[in-house]
Amino acid sequence: MATNFLVHEKIWFDKFKYDDAERRFYEQMNGPVAGASRQTSGPGASSGPSGDHSELVIRIASLEVENQSLRGVVQELQQAISKLEARLNVLEKSSPGHRATAPQTQHVSPMRQVEPPAKKPATPAEDDEDDDIDLFGSDNEEEDKEAAQLREERLRQYAEKKAKKPALVAKSSILLDVKPWDDETDMAQLEACVRSIQLDGLVWGASKLVPVGYGIRKLQIQCVVEDDKVGTDLLEEEITKFEEHVQSVDIAAFNKI
């Protein structure tokens, strides 16, 4: 009879199982928070209803703190939006092109089709002008022909000018030392003999007598020659032909011009 009585009574014999399942559920959802709360309860904390109640209290407290922070963020956003709206209204009112926006229910009259202006009939004079216009660009062709003729004329003038311009002639400046036989040689006669040499591309320059020693002086004379016409070998050969006055000829300096 006692057993039957207990069967009909509403007694929760396995409540600890549901409490344990609920605790594991919150641990899976909350992660470290629930674990930390469980650790703070100490090693002697009970896993029964009292432990679950403390975990729920901690969870509710953390949610309230999070809710308060979210409310603060939402209030800040609302204040920023209201400030932006006020600033936008001020800018719209201060702009010179501001005008009131028409309500959506405003009646708009249908657009009226605008007829294009009537074309005036062309006068005979205008018809003649249109006939004179070349649609195929005959003026451009004439300009192209004139430009081509001008270019050819300039090229011809340049070619003629280049042909008349003398070609560059390579020249050299040579300083010669002409030595006499002895101190009795007439140096004036020696210089006259040297200057008597006339060759195409040869021009004699300044001269002077330079002491050598023992009363002997040599003739130092300058000349300019065209390289293609007169060489140093030819000069030495022509000067040494005066055997009575000239002992030898040396090149003291040679410079290209």
Side-chain angles (χ1 to χ4, degrees):
M1 292 178 65
T3 303
N4 294 330
F5 175 76
L6 292 176
V7 169
H8 294 286
E9 286 293 331
K10 297 180 179 180
I11 299 174
W12 199 351
F13 291 100
D14 53 354
K15 180 180 183 300
F16 66 95
K17 294 182 180 180
Y18 295 95
D19 292 339
D20 191 15
E22 184 178 5
R23 179 180 56 78
R24 287 196 300 270
F25 172 77
Y26 282 112
E27 285 179 355
Q28 292 178 358
M29 290 182 61
N30 301 329
V33 176
S37 63
R38 187 174 65 255
Q39 290 178 1
T40 54
S41 61
S46 174
S47 61
S50 60
D52 294 337
H53 180 71
S54 61
E55 289 178 1
L56 289 174
V57 171
I58 294 171
R59 176 60 180 166
I60 292 171
S62 62
L63 291 175
E64 289 180 354
V65 172
E66 185 177 358
N67 190 16
Q68 291 293 334
S69 63
L70 291 175
R71 286 180 180 178
V73 172
V74 171
Q75 290 178 358
E76 291 177 358
L77 291 175
Q78 290 177 350
Q79 291 176 0
I81 292 172
S82 61
K83 290 180 180 179
L84 290 175
E85 290 179 351
R87 186 175 180 183
L88 182 60
N89 293 331
V90 172
L91 292 175
E92 288 180 352
K93 292 179 181 179
S94 61
S95 61
H98 174 72
R99 55 185 179 181
T101 306
Q104 295 181 356
T105 58
Q106 183 179 1
H107 177 69
V108 180
S109 60
M111 294 180 64
R112 184 175 59 186
Q113 185 176 3
V114 179
E115 297 180 358
K119 185 177 180 182
K120 289 195 308 180
T123 60
E126 293 178 351
D127 292 338
D128 295 339
E129 292 178 358
D130 294 339
D131 294 338
D132 294 338
I133 297 174
D134 187 3
L135 299 178
F136 297 98
S138 59
D139 294 339
N140 294 333
E141 292 179 359
E142 292 179 358
E143 291 178 359
D144 293 341
K145 290 180 180 179
E146 292 178 358
Q149 291 176 359
L150 181 61
R151 183 171 60 254
E152 291 177 358
E153 181 66 19
R154 289 181 179 177
L155 290 174
R156 184 182 61 79
Q157 293 177 359
Y158 175 75
E160 291 178 356
K161 184 177 179 180
K162 188 174 181 182
K164 293 179 181 179
K165 186 177 180 180
L168 183 63
V169 179
K171 295 182 179 180
S172 300
S173 176
I174 304 174
L175 184 63
L176 299 173
D177 285 343
V178 183
K179 296 179 182 178
W181 285 104
D182 51 26
D183 57 346
E184 296 180 357
T185 303
D186 188 356
M187 298 303 296
Q189 184 65 30
L190 187 147
E191 183 177 354
C193 292
V194 172
R195 290 183 180 276
S196 66
I197 301 172
Q198 299 296 325
L199 298 172
D200 185 17
L202 171 63
V203 178
W204 294 107
S207 64
K208 64 179 179 178
L209 298 177
V210 179
V212 179
Y214 304 101
I216 302 174
R217 295 179 299 175
K218 65 180 179 179
L219 175 66
Q220 197 170 69
I221 186 170
Q222 188 178 12
C223 65
V224 177
V225 299
E226 294 181 10
D227 296 343
D228 295 338
K229 297 179 180 180
V230 181
T232 55
D233 295 338
L234 180 59
L235 281 175
E236 292 179 5
E237 182 181 351
E238 292 294 328
I239 294 173
T240 53
K241 286 181 179 180
F242 302 98
E243 297 177 355
E244 295 179 358
H245 300 85
V246 178
Q247 178 185 4
S248 62
V249 179
D250 296 325
I251 298 175
F254 186 94
N255 295 314
K256 290 285 186 180
I257 299 177

